[in-house]
Amino acid sequence: MSEVRVLGVAGSLRKASFNRALLRAAIKLAPEGMAITPHDLDAVPLYNADVEAQGDPPGVAAFKDAIRGADAVLFVTPEYNHGVPGVMKNAVDWASRPARSSPLDHKPLGVIGASPGMTGTARSQSQLRQAFVFTNSYCMPQPEILVARAQDKFDANGNLTDETTKQFLQQYLVAFKAWALRFKPA
């Protein structure tokens, strides 16, 4: 059985965020043959073409290298004000460069997220999927994980405690592994 190396990226800088907790849960629940490695976005500066013209800053270079070294990327996005948080969009903007030969080009991706709101992260996930059309990435369309009312599904230590959400996440990860394998070179 082929091993699938997944880079996990949470789009929140807050250490105790629901999305970092969801990523930790995904790491624990990953099926056999899938390894998820988290990557923090703390060192990725705001995108600036003048900075890019001088070469990728170290945090950006490390992020791009991590994407290149993974078979797939799992983006775990919050939703702020009905949209993609700046941290997540900024990371995607950096990773999308240079156009048509970026680390995201032809990369299988997954998008999940958690939010205290009633619609989970439906809007932010939709916006990310639109961005991934430009990056020529293979974003898994189904199933979706939209963890709504996240405050009721994680304990005070950030552990996923809701059994139904755990089951959905496990099913998602099995599907994501199969999705990533579709694009992995033989």
Side-chain angles (χ1 to χ4, degrees):
M1 179 178 288
S2 187
E3 175 81 11
V4 176
R5 297 165 313 190
V6 176
L7 182 69
V9 181
S12 174
L13 298 179
R14 192 170 62 87
K15 299 299 180 202
S17 79
F18 291 125
N19 288 278
R20 284 180 180 250
L22 184 58
L23 177 55
R24 286 192 305 276
I27 291 167
K28 290 179 186 174
L29 297 172
E32 186 177 335
M34 174 187 271
I36 302 173
T37 302
H39 187 89
D40 287 335
L41 298 176
D42 298 27
V44 177
L46 290 174
Y47 177 76
N48 180 330
D50 293 336
V51 172
E52 181 190 21
Q54 302 301 314
D56 287 340
V60 172
F63 181 47
K64 287 181 176 183
D65 287 344
I67 293 170
R68 283 186 195 96
D71 298 314
V73 182
L74 180 63
F75 288 93
V76 189
T77 185
E79 183 170 299
Y80 298 167
N81 302 315
H82 291 201
V84 178
V87 169
M88 180 65 83
K89 181 61 168 70
N90 181 63
V92 170
D93 289 344
W94 272 111
S96 72
R97 311 288 292 184
R100 301 297 175 234
S101 63
S102 80
L104 293 173
D105 190 52
H106 293 98
K107 185 70 70 172
L109 310 176
V111 180
I112 63 176
S115 169
M118 291 300 295
T119 58
T121 55
R123 293 175 187 101
S124 64
Q125 287 192 37
S126 177
Q127 290 173 2
L128 270 182
R129 290 172 189 279
Q130 290 173 343
F132 294 140
V133 171
F134 175 79
T135 63
N136 201 29
S137 305
Y138 305 126
C139 193
M140 186 171 81
Q142 292 291 328
E144 294 179 300
I145 295 285
L146 306 161
V147 180
R149 301 187 54 80
Q151 69 277 11
D152 299 334
K153 300 192 172 119
F154 294 89
D155 67 17
N157 295 318
N159 298 305
L160 180 59
T161 56
D162 184 74
E163 288 303 319
T164 302
T165 303
K166 282 183 186 179
Q167 290 172 5
F168 282 130
L169 183 56
Q170 286 174 318
Q171 292 168 4
Y172 177 91
L173 293 169
V174 168
F176 187 51
K177 178 183 174 192
W179 179 258
L181 285 172
R182 290 176 65 180
F183 303 99
K184 188 172 181 175

